[in-house]
Amino acid sequence: MTWGQTGQVSGRILDSQTLEPLPFANVFINNTTIGTASDMNGEFLLPKVPIGTNEIIFSFVGYLPYQTRVTLVE
């Protein structure tokens, strides 16, 4: 069983065309209260992400939201 086991997800949010970082973008795990904002360099860290498959959503003013799935394993 995976009672209470978690991991972390980190990365950098960039504009897909210019490759410029997107500072202060919102990053959260769908259907949870786990979320954060990227820093000035577009970097983020989501701690305490449940083990298993999770849907991460990225949003930034002026851009369409982006959704992706990540799977954390033990």
Side-chain angles (χ1 to χ4, degrees):
M1 293 190 152
T2 58
W3 291 73
Q5 294 180 346
T6 62
Q8 64 183 23
V9 176
S10 62
R12 191 167 185 215
I13 305 169
L14 306 173
D15 180 286
S16 65
Q17 294 181 4
T18 67
L19 300 181
E20 291 292 317
L22 297 179
F24 311 113
N26 294 306
V27 183
F28 63 94
I29 304 295
N30 202 15
N31 298 318
T32 73
T33 58
I34 301 167
T36 191
S38 61
D39 66 13
M40 286 294 295
N41 299 314
E43 297 175 355
F44 70 91
L45 173 66
L46 282 172
K48 300 182 182 178
V49 177
I51 297 294
T53 301
N54 296 279
E55 184 177 57
I56 299 179
I57 299 176
F58 302 90
S59 65
F60 190 80
V61 174
Y63 289 75
L64 293 173
Y66 178 77
Q67 299 177 20
T68 190
R69 289 182 187 262
V70 296
T71 302
L72 277 67
V73 295
E74 292 182 56

